[in-house]
Amino acid sequence: MPISFDPSSKIFHLQAKNTSYVMQIVNEGYLAHLYWGKRVRHARVPNSLRFKDRGFSPNPNKEDRSFSLDTLPQEYPAYGNTDFRGPAVQIEQPNGSRITDFRYDSHEIISGKPKLSGLPATYVEGENEAETLKLRLKDEVLGLYITLMYTVFKELNVITRSTLIENNGLETQHILKAASINVDIRDTRFEMMNLPGAWVRERDVERLSLRRGVQSVGSRRGSSSHHQNPFIALVRPETTESLGEAFGFSLVYSGSFDASVEIDQTNQTRVTMGINSFDFSWKLEPSEVFQTPEVVMVYSSEGIGEMSRTYHTLYRNRLCRGEHRNKERPILINNWEATYFDFDENKIMSIADIAAEAGIELFVLDDGWFGERDNDKTSLGDWFINKEKLPNGLVGLAEKINEKGMKFGLWFEPEMISVDSDLYRNHPDWCIHVPNRRRSESRNQLVLDFSRPDVCEEVLKRVTAILDSAPIEYVKWDMNRNMTEIGSAALPANRQKEIAHRYLLGLYSVLEELTSRFPHILFESCSGGGGRFDPGMLYYMPQTWTSDNTDAISRLRIQHGTSLVYPVSSMGAHVSEVPNHQVGRITPLETRGHVAMDGNLGYELDVTKLSDEEKEEMKKQISLYKSIRMTVQYGDLYRLIDPFKCQNYGTIHVSEDKTKAVLFYVHVLAEANGPFQTIKLSGLDPDKDYRIIETNEVYGGDELMNMGVNIPYPNHDFKSVMYRLESL
Ligand code: DGJ
């Protein structure tokens, strides 16, 4: 039984594959956290909590000076009832009070995993995959209930959590904060990892020691953002890629979020994660409920690499959905860096001809096909074909592309509106804005108010009309700015702080509807590259455009950081032209190919300008990728060299049955008279012998992992190597 409850000790014991998570109801019904870590067979009372009178830690019950919520490791702490640390929940009441006191009410253990209403979340296929504990807490005075939902995945080291707040009282309440999770770990020997970044520089890996007090990461942009990802991990100071403990927290949400880590006076570490409470409140009428997003908690006792592989397995198979979930992803060509806005049907077809010849499977028409869109100042919202550029319409173009044997895909940016658009002229109040304030533009555009059902409805109508009008089999869903002057013309004053979250609920409902109307379409999400590379979007779209930075060398870090949480099958990676458009770097076509093959390979350059030799090389890359893509996209990823610690880079992708593997290595700068390079592989079967196809050498898996494999001498800058391994 993955979840058990012992009524005498009042201990809940959750057991995932090799993980235990233990809680206890203590004192007058408070829910305490006891343990999260390596699986134990039993969790018994002697190992449980100890209490002591501590100065300046007040006592809810004056008869018991040893008990204070200020020092109790809690599962879902409230504000104001003796705990001075950051709360998980805060409710403002009609009388002005913000004090609540939630105690155990009841619990239920069910098989499977219930859906979260209106929100993306991991799921099960079959009741046997997981068990769920619904733990109900109650505030007697307000008639408010909180249900803490814990799902234990039996075959993975995964526990997911979310929280439901239910107003069963007679009065309207305002939620000021509703975290998805809180975990108080009785230990502080951790470092925190997170993924900060910027546009074209997404997901650096940062790892810092914890200090006493609060350290937090988050986004206030209305989007998960390039700048922080909704992910943190606590790792031991000695934890490496392959050794030691790692505790991952990944929020399935695409909006403003907050993750904070607080070390308290008695050496406990509080982790709280969820929707950002800054500029948030939610009016909860009697009988209404509020559902928080889900946090996916992964435990690894075998290093950061194992934590990542657990996220990859879960997100690939039980977060992503739809027809394309486990299918090989098509090799695409995108015209953005080839033409920007300057194209017509002839130009597109000249690119498509060469792409088809090279074996590319999908042509993606990027920005500029609609309205008067010859630059980024106009037409977002006017999703009608530009007949000057495409005289035969999308259908004419798509059919020609299909005739070449390629699928046709299309770019959209449906959440946005240009001031210079008919949509804006007709509906100036449909954007997010505040009366009598400037509507600040970013990339010359405003954000459509997706908190309004009428706006969502109209967007759905327009996008559906286009998708119905031509054989479109792929959509790139872009989003190129963050929210400012957040306000909605459709909501009353006391609901204005709900807009950012309502926007996400609106977006999710549009995406749910669209993906069910067009199940055959492969959706790829994008936000100026990886500005919304988060689990929330992956639920609807199994791929994300990883970054607008297509430089092979910049990509080493970006793809490494992204892979901490997200599977290779979700990472779009394109070969682009040199000098590179973002950094001006000139790298060999071979290296650009190898780095893009380390994700979902695509091309994004004017192939009509390539020499015959380059076209031949591209063709070879494509046929090579077709032979390795199943292993790369759906194998297990082992990171071999950390590009944040040295300049070089190495990964190996190993098929599930360990019969095939693909090694990528990039040596960034050549060195005069430099050392030889040998790289130790990971993830292979030590008892199998492997042939390296490129060198025709045979080695044991044990040799390759312990003695390593020689890498050809790096005789020029940006040299890369790709080895295919096959077991004999
Ligand atoms: C930003 C995206 O990340 C690019 O790939 C491209 O689609 C542009 N938007 C188009 O405006």
Side-chain angles (χ1 to χ4, degrees):
M1 288 285 280
I3 301 177
S4 59
F5 177 65
D6 174 11
S8 60
S9 61
K10 298 193 180 139
I11 284 182
F12 293 95
H13 189 178
L14 281 49
Q15 289 172 307
K17 193 176 175 202
N18 296 313
T19 306
S20 280
Y21 190 99
V22 186
M23 299 170 280
Q24 187 178 23
I25 303 164
V26 297
N27 209 279
E28 293 160 329
Y30 293 105
L31 186 61
H33 177 86
L34 299 195
Y35 174 74
W36 177 29
K38 205 163 187 165
R39 186 179 170 121
V40 293
R41 281 175 296 127
H42 306 286
R44 297 179 236 231
V45 184
N47 271 330
S48 118
L49 304 165
R50 286 178 285 176
F51 300 95
K52 182 176 171 357
D53 178 10
R54 294 185 191 269
F56 286 82
S57 290
N59 319 107
N61 175 357
K62 69 178 182 182
E63 309 303 326
D64 183 3
R65 282 190 49 166
S66 72
F67 185 82
S68 172
L69 296 171
D70 198 26
T71 52
L72 184 74
Q74 296 192 70
E75 278 297 289
Y76 205 71
Y79 167 72
N81 60 345
T82 75
D83 188 349
F84 294 103
R85 296 167 292 179
V89 61
Q90 195 185 11
I91 313 274
E92 189 170 27
Q93 298 140 49
N95 66 2
S97 160
R98 284 94 51 230
I99 309 306
T100 51
D101 191 23
F102 288 97
R103 318 276 185 92
Y104 172 81
D105 174 68
S106 60
H107 75 270
E108 190 188 354
I109 297 169
I110 55 171
S111 52
K113 181 175 194 286
K115 280 191 162 195
L116 297 194
S117 159
L119 285 168
T122 56
Y123 58 91
V124 291
E125 282 186 352
E127 299 279 279
N128 275 337
E129 286 182 4
E131 220 169 63
T132 297
L133 167 66
K134 290 173 157 185
L135 232 162
R136 218 155 174 242
L137 312 176
K138 182 179 184 186
D139 181 292
E140 234 5 282
V141 175
L142 304 180
L144 268 188
Y145 288 83
I146 285 180
T147 303
L148 304 178
M149 189 118 83
Y150 300 79
T151 296
V152 180
F153 280 79
K154 293 181 192 170
E155 294 306 324
L156 290 168
N157 288 309
V158 172
I159 294 174
T160 63
R161 282 186 59 180
S162 66
T163 299
L164 182 84
I165 303 181
E166 227 178 308
N167 187 356
N168 281 1
L170 298 173
E171 293 184 308
T172 298
Q173 311 293 349
H174 279 91
I175 302 172
L176 301 182
K177 175 165 187 173
S180 297
I181 61 149
N182 183 93
V183 188
D184 285 351
I185 306 173
R186 292 187 288 164
D187 196 342
T188 57
R189 219 173 51 76
F190 295 117
E191 293 175 347
M192 178 168 114
M193 295 180 78
N194 62 295
L195 300 170
W199 173 67
V200 296
R201 198 161 31 77
E202 295 91 339
R203 289 170 294 283
D204 285 346
V205 178
E206 208 164 72
R207 177 170 172 170
L208 294 172
S209 307
L210 295 182
R211 54 181 172 72
R212 282 194 277 178
V214 181
Q215 37 256 283
S216 70
V217 300
S219 160
R220 297 191 192 100
R221 292 171 173 267
S223 146
S224 53
S225 87
H226 302 84
H227 308 80
Q228 288 288 350
N229 198 259
F231 165 78
I232 59 166
L234 295 183
V235 298
R236 300 294 182 187
E238 67 276 10
T239 296
T240 65
E241 189 63 23
S242 54
L243 292 172
E245 289 193 299
F247 300 77
F249 302 83
S250 166
L251 180 68
V252 188
Y253 190 57
S254 315
S256 297
F257 72 95
D258 180 62
S260 72
V261 179
E262 178 171 5
I263 294 199
D264 72 9
Q265 56 174 329
T266 62
N267 276 5
Q268 303 183 106
T269 304
R270 167 165 291 183
V271 179
T272 316
M273 193 179 210
I275 294 173
N276 201 329
S277 58
F278 173 79
D279 202 35
F280 168 85
S281 85
W282 193 273
K283 188 174 170 192
L284 198 66
E285 311 265 17
S287 316
E288 283 185 349
V289 298
F290 181 82
Q291 173 67 60
T292 75
E294 169 168 289
V295 170
V296 177
M297 297 167 47
V298 168
Y299 170 73
S300 161
S301 58
E302 293 164 51
I304 299 158
E306 187 57 25
M307 175 195 74
S308 297
R309 284 185 292 280
T310 304
Y311 277 118
H312 297 171
T313 306
L314 182 75
Y315 285 179
R316 243 178 5 225
N317 300 308
R318 295 294 180 264
L319 177 68
C320 294
R321 300 176 300 165
E323 274 179 22
H324 299 276
R325 187 183 72 179
N326 301 107
K327 276 199 194 147
E328 288 185 315
R329 301 297 163 73
I331 301 169
L332 64 81
I333 185 153
N334 177 304
N335 71 305
W336 178 241
E337 286 198 13
T339 65
Y340 295 104
F341 296 103
D342 186 15
F343 63 82
D344 57 18
E345 188 183 294
N346 290 337
K347 176 72 191 165
I348 294 299
M349 284 315 297
S350 66
I351 295 174
D353 283 344
I354 296 168
E357 179 61 24
I360 287 179
E361 299 156 320
L362 164 69
F363 189 100
V364 179
L365 182 64
D366 211 278
D367 196 353
W369 56 266
F370 54 94
E372 312 276 310
R373 187 82 168 167
D374 290 329
N375 53 51
D376 64 15
K377 297 197 173 101
T378 175
S379 299
L380 292 172
D382 294 346
W383 300 110
F384 309 109
I385 294 140
N386 180 320
K387 285 276 184 179
E388 268 170 48
K389 289 182 184 175
L390 303 175
N392 301 307
L394 281 176
V395 69
L397 178 64
E399 278 169 1
K400 283 190 183 165
I401 301 265
N402 288 166
E403 277 162 26
K404 300 266 160 213
M406 284 188 293
K407 294 180 172 174
F408 179 72
L410 193 63
W411 177 96
F412 270 110
E413 196 177 357
E415 297 163 68
M416 297 292 146
I417 182 165
S418 304
V419 172
D420 179 18
S421 67
D422 288 341
L423 186 67
Y424 190 78
R425 283 182 277 276
N426 294 333
H427 299 283
D429 59 337
W430 273 17
C431 64
I432 287 188
H433 70 282
V434 168
N436 309 319
R437 296 278 169 199
R438 178 189 294 154
R439 300 176 178 195
S440 299
E441 295 182 24
S442 180
R443 207 195 188 208
N444 305 304
Q445 62 200 52
L446 300 171
V447 182
L448 271 176
D449 182 359
F450 267 49
S451 73
R452 296 176 61 146
D454 53 348
V455 171
C456 292
E457 206 43 57
E458 182 60 26
V459 169
L460 247 179
K461 203 169 100 195
R462 291 184 181 205
V463 175
T464 298
I466 292 287
L467 295 182
D468 274 335
S469 73
I472 296 166
E473 295 179 77
Y474 163 103
V475 164
K476 177 176 172 189
W477 182 286
D478 205 350
M479 192 279 279
N480 283 303
R481 67 158 292 177
N482 296 140
M483 295 177 194
T484 56
E485 292 101 14
I486 298 180
S488 171
L491 286 172
N494 63 2
R495 286 195 181 270
Q496 291 290 315
K497 286 185 178 177
E498 297 176 12
I499 294 164
H501 181 57
R502 282 188 184 274
Y503 178 99
L504 265 297
L505 295 178
L507 172 65
Y508 289 148
S509 72
V510 168
L511 297 182
E512 184 66 40
E513 184 57 37
L514 260 187
T515 48
S516 29
R517 278 187 200 172
F518 299 97
H520 68 286
I521 292 183
L522 171 61
F523 284 85
E524 175 155 350
S525 93
C526 172
S527 171
R532 223 167 35 183
F533 205 137
D534 61 57
M537 294 308 285
L538 282 184
Y539 181 70
Y540 304 97
M541 310 192 183
Q543 292 186 192
T544 303
W545 176 224
T546 311
S547 176
D548 272 352
N549 188 338
T550 57
D551 168 57
I553 302 307
S554 312
R555 275 294 182 122
L556 301 178
R557 285 183 165 192
I558 294 170
Q559 292 175 194
H560 176 99
T562 304
S563 80
L564 233 63
V565 191
Y566 306 103
V568 177
S569 58
S570 67
M571 274 193 243
H574 299 174
V575 172
S576 63
E577 140 177 326
V578 288
N580 172 266
H581 292 196
Q582 291 77 43
V583 297
R585 190 177 280 127
I586 298 179
T587 50
L589 181 52
E590 182 176 46
T591 308
R592 282 177 274 151
H594 286 162
V595 175
M597 284 187 219
D598 205 10
N600 283 345
L601 175 68
Y603 288 79
E604 186 167 337
L605 73 172
D606 187 349
V607 286
T608 62
K609 291 191 193 146
L610 294 179
S611 67
D612 288 347
E613 294 76 53
E614 286 171 322
K615 280 185 206 152
E616 206 38 49
E617 192 173 341
M618 174 169 107
K619 200 169 178 175
K620 282 197 185 128
Q621 288 178 347
I622 289 164
S623 104
L624 181 71
Y625 188 68
K626 287 178 182 167
S627 74
I628 59 170
R629 88 174 128 182
M630 208 56 201
T631 309
V632 171
Q633 294 176 356
Y634 295 102
D636 288 325
L637 170 72
Y638 292 81
R639 292 176 293 255
L640 303 175
I641 301 173
D642 182 344
F644 290 94
K645 291 199 179 128
C646 72
Q647 283 194 345
N648 303 333
Y649 176 85
T651 55
I652 186 166
H653 307 261
V654 184
S655 66
E656 209 184 337
D657 61 4
K658 297 193 185 287
T659 59
K660 288 188 179 144
V662 185
L663 167 73
F664 292 104
Y665 174 83
V666 180
H667 196 93
V668 174
L669 290 181
E671 202 183 342
N673 196 18
F676 290 120
Q677 302 294 324
T678 299
I679 182 166
K680 292 184 181 179
L681 309 189
S682 288
L684 301 174
D685 182 341
D687 298 325
K688 280 191 165 67
D689 284 337
Y690 293 88
R691 189 167 70 90
I692 301 177
I693 296 176
E694 278 62 33
T695 62
N696 205 19
E697 293 166 329
V698 173
Y699 298 103
D702 52 350
E703 279 175 282
L704 292 165
M705 293 193 289
N706 294 299
M707 297 170 69
V709 63
N710 284 345
I711 294 291
Y713 187 74
N715 53 355
H716 59 75
D717 285 352
F718 317 129
K719 176 145 179 151
S720 67
V721 174
M722 193 224 49
Y723 281 168
R724 286 166 293 166
L725 280 70
E726 263 177 13
S727 71
L728 299 182

